Every structure is written in structure tokens, then in C-alpha cells.
């Protein structure tokens, strides 16, 4: 039975540690392909083009939209974010599980077009921890932090459209929970209908062959 790649969307409140969780997951388990998003925001300290994000100007990003080279895109805190199409489709065809770490607005667009997508939302253990993580990054002014908290209020209204949540309290535990959750999806019946129907067909042929006097 051929293993088919699964499309996975991971979202979460800003500052919840999505990026750290994804890096830890892909470092431990090599079968995952983490899609790199394009964005118009400025790189943070330590970020590199083509590693954390593809950093684009507004004009470059809008050209990608015009050419339909993005699976999804959204505007978040005055910047564009989007997922390049070619890499995702290539990895899925090779049987790799592809993770899209994207904002909720784009995630829900992906779900509209791909009903089988696995939707995961990363949660903080509590709101106090979330605020501490946002301020602890030290990469953004207070005005932007306030924007992100307002955005989190809106995002909280749509979390019920995701399939599962991962509470990012203990990183090691969160990585293991995430990995086992994704792996379990590969044995779901609705993801293996071709295999199930082939077995069904073979059983019918076998039963017919074993029935006395029955002609094939």
C-alpha cells in the first residue's frame, strides 16, 4: 500500500511558539516537509530569506497573487502572508506530509478548497503565558503587541473550525503529541479508500472462486 502525503495546517496565536514547535518536530522526524511562507513583513533578527520566510515586497507578493502561484494568502497586521503552491504539490506527490504553518485567515481558505486537510491549532497553557511570550521576544513595539492581542481575540472565535489542539506548555511533550496525532491520520479509512476497495474487490473474487459451480 502506497503511503500518501497528508496536508496539515498549523495555526495559533501570535507568540504561542508555533515556529519553535515546527522546528523541533522537523528536526526530530525527517518525514515532514515544512512549507515556507512568503510574507511582506520585515525579517526579524536572525531570520533569513528562504529559511523562515520568503521575504517579498508588496509588489512582488501581488504578482504572485496575479499569477495564481499561492495556495492561499491573507493580510495580517498590515502585511501579506501566503503559501507558494509548487513546493506543496511536489512534496505531496512524493508521499511526504506537508505542514503549512499559517495564520487563521489563510488556514480557513485552505480548508474550503481541501476538505481532507488536517487542521491543528496551537494553544498556550494560559493567557498570561501568551502575553509573557509576546513581550519576551523583544522584537516588536508595544503597539504591534497590542494589535496581535486584538487579533487573538478574533482568532479565538474560530478555533472550533480546527480538528485538534496542541497545548504548547512543555515543548518535548507537544512535539510527541503532534507527531503521533499526524501519524494516526494515515490509518483513517477515508484516507485509504483505494486500498479498502481493492481488498473488497479481491475478497469478492476469492469468494466467487471458492463457490462450487459458480462461473467467473
Amino acid at each position: 500500500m502506497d503511503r500518501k502525503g497528508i496536508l496539515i495546517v498549523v495555526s495559533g496565536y501570535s507568540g504561542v511558539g508555533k515556529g519553535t514547535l515546527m522546528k523541533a518536530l522537523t528536526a526530530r522526524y525527517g518525514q515532514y516537509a515544512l512549507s515556507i511562507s512568503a510574507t511582506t513583513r520585515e525579517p526579524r533578527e536572525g531570520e533569513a530569506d528562504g529559511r523562515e520566510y520568503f521575504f517579498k515586497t508588496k509588489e512582488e507578493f501581488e504578482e504572485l497573487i496575479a499569477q495564481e502561484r499561492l495556495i492561499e494568502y491573507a493580510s495580517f497586521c498590515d502585511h501579506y502572508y501566503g503559501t507558494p503552491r509548487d513546493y506543496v504539490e511536489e512534496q505531496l506527490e512524493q508521499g511526504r506530509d506537508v505542514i503549512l504553518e499559517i495564520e487563521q485567515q489563510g488556514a480557513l481558505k485552505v480548508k474550503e478548497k481541501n476538505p481532507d486537510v488536517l487542521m491543528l491549532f496551537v494553544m498556550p497553557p494560559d493567557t498570561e503565558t501568551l502575553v509573557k511570550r509576546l513581550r519576551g521576544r523583544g522584537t516588536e513595539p508595544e503597539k504591534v503587541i497590542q494589535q496581535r492581542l486584538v487579533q487573538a481575540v478574533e482568532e479565538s472565535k474560530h478555533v472550533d473550525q480546527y480538528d485538534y489542539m496542541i497545548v504548547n506548555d512543555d515543548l518535548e511533550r507537544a512535539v510527541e503529541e503532534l507527531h503521533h496525532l499526524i501519524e494516526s491520520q494515515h490509518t483513517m479509512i477515508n484516507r485509504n479508500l483505494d486500498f479498502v476497495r481493492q481488498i473488497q474487490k479481491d475478497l469478492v473474487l476469492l469468494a466467487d472462486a471458492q463457490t462450487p459451480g459458480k462461473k467467473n
Side-chain angles (χ1 to χ4, degrees):
M1 182 177 67
D2 293 334
R3 179 183 171 104
K4 297 181 179 179
I6 293 175
L7 183 62
I8 305 142
V9 162
V10 176
S11 303
Y13 305 122
S14 183
V16 79
K18 301 182 297 295
T20 300
L21 182 57
M22 293 304 99
K23 287 179 182 177
L25 177 72
T26 52
R28 180 170 299 183
Y29 300 102
Q31 69 264 42
Y32 298 115
L34 182 59
S35 177
I36 302 173
S37 295
T39 183
T40 57
R41 78 158 171 78
E42 293 296 317
R44 296 183 183 131
E45 184 177 352
E47 291 183 333
D49 184 53
R51 188 177 65 195
E52 283 77 17
Y53 286 94
F54 294 112
F55 294 100
K56 305 290 184 182
T57 65
K58 182 180 178 181
E59 292 73 21
E60 289 172 336
F61 198 101
E62 290 178 343
E63 183 65 22
L64 292 175
I65 296 173
Q67 295 176 359
E68 298 186 349
R69 292 174 59 194
L70 299 171
I71 289 178
E72 56 76 32
Y73 67 92
S75 178
F76 179 77
C77 290
D78 300 323
H79 293 294
Y80 280 129
Y81 292 81
T83 303
R85 181 181 301 278
D86 293 348
Y87 176 81
V88 171
E89 293 180 347
E90 177 184 307
Q91 295 300 313
L92 287 173
E93 288 175 3
Q94 293 177 8
R96 299 188 72 190
D97 296 334
V98 179
I99 299 174
L100 311 184
E101 181 201 330
I102 56 179
E103 305 299 337
Q104 188 180 85
Q105 188 181 355
L108 297 181
K109 289 180 180 179
V110 172
K111 185 177 181 179
E112 283 181 11
K113 297 179 181 179
N114 303 272
D116 289 337
V117 65
L118 175 60
M119 301 280 287
L120 306 176
F121 198 89
V122 182
M123 299 283 284
D126 50 61
T127 53
E128 182 180 355
T129 299
L130 180 64
V131 174
K132 284 182 179 179
R133 289 176 182 174
L134 270 173
R135 292 203 166 101
R137 292 195 301 198
T139 57
E140 295 165 331
E142 185 65 23
K143 179 181 178 180
V144 174
I145 292 174
Q146 291 301 321
Q147 285 181 328
R148 294 190 182 281
L149 289 174
V150 170
Q151 183 69 28
V153 172
E154 290 303 309
E155 290 175 336
S156 68
K157 299 174 183 178
H158 304 286
V159 172
D160 59 355
Q161 297 191 48
Y162 288 74
D163 299 312
Y164 300 95
M165 71 174 186
I166 301 292
V167 177
N168 190 17
D169 187 4
D170 180 279
L171 180 61
E172 294 296 314
R173 182 173 62 199
V175 166
E176 290 305 311
E177 287 180 357
L178 183 55
H179 171 67
H180 290 302
L181 183 56
I182 296 172
E183 281 295 291
S184 70
Q185 302 301 302
H186 283 278
T187 56
M188 291 181 65
I189 293 294
N190 68 348
R191 295 187 188 277
N192 295 278
L193 288 178
D194 289 344
F195 175 75
V196 170
R197 287 166 180 158
Q198 184 60 54
I199 294 295
Q200 181 185 44
K201 180 179 177 181
D202 292 344
L203 285 171
V204 170
L205 292 174
L206 180 62
D208 287 347
Q210 299 297 317
T211 302
K214 189 165 185 176
K215 296 182 179 179
N216 294 328

